[in-house]
Amino acid sequence: MANILVYALHYDGAINKNSLGAVSEGARLAAELGDSAISEIKYRSDVGIIIGRLNAFEAKESGDGPAQVEQLSFELSPHALRATMLTRGEQRGADVDIEGADILVAGGRGLGKPEGFKLCEDLAEAFGPGSAVAATRAVVDAGWYPYAAQIGQTGKTVTPKLYLAAGISGAIQHKVGMQSSENIVAINKDANAPIFEFSDLGIVGDLNKILPKLTEAVKAKRES
């Protein structure tokens, strides 16, 4: 297998997990992604496995026929047979679907308190079906919102048609999870917030005043 330059969150043996991107040998990455591992990987065998994160790559059809399926034989190591599944539990907040949403209203620490997510939820509801609320790692770690809604390097990668970021600074670990959104609108009171550098539309102001007015405008538009 040809060498591949891969940047991933984790790497273990012959499997690259949570791969954020892969380019051909000889290519160069322009920037590092926070605490990601960036490495050139060579497989010792003819077969290697790269597990990409959902929405991290654009799905494209290639070739004229079906993909070749190859049956492989393998032997499990003794320690691999010692694990036993005792119980399977549902992920906290598993009902939150942010990967399939066309419109995401994401909230960060700028919301000020957990109750601030009500502003995001009201706006997402106003947009109607296909909309959902997302969150940054900081607010998820603080217990403000479920982990299933977390976007970023240690969360999910999304590509909605509209990504509205409320009170999000735009740190690199969050950027890698949403930078491929078709349209990015940012609301932040800090005019120097990094998120304005890669947003399509930036609004500097108090989100506590802007989000309710935006919600009213969306409702009025849908009702007209």
Side-chain angles (χ1 to χ4, degrees):
M1 176 179 288
N3 299 344
I4 294 180
L5 189 65
V6 175
Y7 48 107
L9 295 182
H10 306 287
Y11 171 68
D12 183 13
I15 301 179
N16 295 304
K17 299 174 289 185
N18 285 329
S19 205
L20 294 174
V23 293
S24 61
E25 182 180 11
R28 296 290 179 266
L29 293 177
E32 294 187 1
L33 300 178
D35 57 358
S36 297
I38 302 179
S39 58
E40 182 177 351
I41 297 168
K42 298 179 180 180
Y43 294 99
R44 290 177 293 180
S45 63
D46 294 332
V47 177
I49 300 174
I50 298 177
I51 302 176
R53 301 181 68 185
L54 185 64
N55 294 324
F57 300 91
E58 182 180 356
K60 292 184 177 179
E61 294 185 4
S62 61
D64 298 327
Q68 180 180 353
V69 178
E70 183 177 353
Q71 298 295 331
L72 302 177
S73 60
F74 62 93
E75 293 183 4
L76 294 175
S77 57
H79 68 268
L81 301 173
R82 295 176 184 173
T84 303
M85 176 70 75
L86 299 179
T87 183
R88 187 179 183 90
E90 290 298 323
Q91 181 185 39
R92 178 166 55 97
D95 57 330
V96 180
D97 179 20
I98 61 174
E99 292 164 314
D102 288 329
I103 299 175
L104 282 176
V105 182
R109 279 195 177 277
L111 292 174
K113 54 187 177 180
E115 292 76 15
F117 269 95
K118 182 66 166 57
L119 297 174
C120 297
E121 292 170 348
D122 289 345
L123 180 55
E125 184 179 354
F127 276 120
S131 305
V133 176
T136 63
R137 175 178 176 176
V139 296
V140 169
D141 286 348
W144 291 12
Y145 221 67
Y147 170 74
Q150 180 177 319
I151 290 177
Q153 197 170 1
T154 53
K156 296 176 179 177
T157 301
V158 296
T159 55
K161 295 179 179 178
L162 172 63
Y163 187 91
L164 195 152
I168 296 175
S169 64
I172 187 65
Q173 59 265 28
H174 184 76
K175 178 183 178 182
V176 298
M178 47 68 72
Q179 61 185 342
S180 296
S181 302
E182 290 187 24
N183 299 283
I184 300 174
V185 176
I187 303 174
N188 201 299
K189 65 180 181 181
D190 181 6
N192 296 315
I195 196 166
F196 289 132
E197 297 177 3
F198 56 91
S199 59
D200 298 293
L201 174 64
I203 304 172
V204 179
D206 185 352
L207 60 83
N208 293 293
K209 297 178 179 179
I210 296 172
L211 287 182
K213 291 185 178 296
L214 183 56
T215 300
E216 293 175 4
V218 172
K219 286 182 177 179
K221 181 66 175 178
R222 287 178 58 84
E223 292 172 359
S224 63

